[in-house]
Amino acid sequence: MRYRPPFALDLAQVLSPHQRGKGDPHFRRDERGVAWFAGNTADGPGTMALRRFADGEVEAQAWGQGADRLLDGLPALLGAEDDDTGFVAHHDAVAAARQALPSLRLGSSGRVWDALVPAVLEQKVTGIEARRSWRELCRWYGEPAPGPAPDWLRVPPAPRAIMSIVDWKWHRAGVDLTRRRTLVFAAQVAHRLEKAGETRGAQGRAWLRKVPGIGVWTAAEVAQRAWGDPDAVSFGDFHIPTVVGHALVGAPLDDAGLQEVLAPYAPQRQRAVRYLEAAGFSRPRYGPRYPIRDYRAM
């Protein structure tokens, strides 16, 4: 399948939120620059490989039971459903980022479950810890990706696989009791969670929060990826208030300050945050780093 987006496209940029670190076993580029993506769909597991040509066309190939569904979702994944109508840059930093990144779009994977598992793993821990757990769970409980995929590509663990994990395996993967309970609760109602992606917006995020252990932060992280929610800010994040604060007002913020400074951007507050992140604004490096805990040693 070949798809020519009717908009400027930066393939790496639109796909980057879906990748959890350089060693992500479910999404990564190979040495030829082909983006490999494996996921669970309503039809079963599937693999998709994407390549962008110089003329702007994107070639997509897919394999497995979920192949057709992955291909059908390609335009949305690349941002075809994104609409920034009415967005106004109220700060110089956002205006500069928007000018420098005219092809920035918010893509939608359409897969709530695959976005939810790594988001829960990222609760209250460092990125290093969360990505290690994600890699190990994918390796142990995710299926090999269908088709002629690289050996390292894995389909994320399905709900049934998550419910089959015994305590010592959770411990070995570095997942504490709170996060493992949340994942099991979510797996038990996984067939209902996809309704959040159909409902979208604030109601979709509220639907996700019905699962014990899923709060505002986790729901926002899922919404950003599953349906490209332009207003789903990750309130409660360790880094974002500081990044946005330094970029927009020259000082770190708390969550209340973040809500206040982003208020003029509603209902597209996450779009403003994404512009700042994509433009390279980052948290200043000073003071002690957040400690990395290894739950496997406890």
Side-chain angles (χ1 to χ4, degrees), residues 141-180:
Y141 295 98
E143 297 182 22
D151 292 340
W152 45 258
L153 193 68
R154 308 287 292 185
V155 178
R160 183 174 296 181
I162 289 293
M163 289 189 289
S164 74
I165 303 175
V166 296
D167 284 349
W168 73 269
K169 274 286 195 177
W170 281 118
H171 186 76
R172 186 176 173 188
V175 183
D176 61 273
L177 183 60
T178 299
R179 289 179 294 156
R180 72 180 71 164

Side-chain angles (χ1 to χ4, degrees), residues 40-51:
N40 294 289
T41 77
D43 299 328
T47 301
M48 186 160 62
L50 302 177
R51 180 187 304 176

Side-chain angles (χ1 to χ4, degrees), residues 156-215:
R160 183 174 296 181
I162 289 293
M163 289 189 289
S164 74
I165 303 175
V166 296
D167 284 349
W168 73 269
K169 274 286 195 177
W170 281 118
H171 186 76
R172 186 176 173 188
V175 183
D176 61 273
L177 183 60
T178 299
R179 289 179 294 156
R180 72 180 71 164
R181 282 178 174 171
T182 300
L183 285 172
V184 171
F185 287 144
Q188 291 169 344
V189 295
H191 62 289
R192 298 170 58 190
L193 293 180
E194 297 302 325
K195 180 179 177 180
E198 299 168 5
T199 306
R200 300 193 168 201
Q203 289 185 327
R205 300 196 299 273
W207 186 262
L208 292 175
R209 294 200 301 272
K210 292 179 181 292
V211 177
I214 294 181

Side-chain angles (χ1 to χ4, degrees), residues 88-177:
V88 176
H90 296 278
H91 297 84
D92 290 343
V94 176
R98 193 180 194 197
Q99 183 176 9
L101 302 166
S103 58
L104 184 144
R105 303 189 72 84
L106 306 180
S108 310
S109 72
R111 289 178 297 282
V112 171
W113 173 257
D114 286 354
L116 184 144
V117 176
V120 171
L121 292 175
E122 290 169 358
Q123 291 177 348
K124 306 297 184 182
V125 298
T126 66
I128 292 175
E129 295 172 87
R131 290 166 184 169
R132 179 178 61 210
S133 297
W134 174 238
R135 290 193 302 270
E136 292 180 348
L137 290 180
C138 285
R139 187 170 70 250
W140 298 338
Y141 295 98
E143 297 182 22
D151 292 340
W152 45 258
L153 193 68
R154 308 287 292 185
V155 178
R160 183 174 296 181
I162 289 293
M163 289 189 289
S164 74
I165 303 175
V166 296
D167 284 349
W168 73 269
K169 274 286 195 177
W170 281 118
H171 186 76
R172 186 176 173 188
V175 183
D176 61 273
L177 183 60

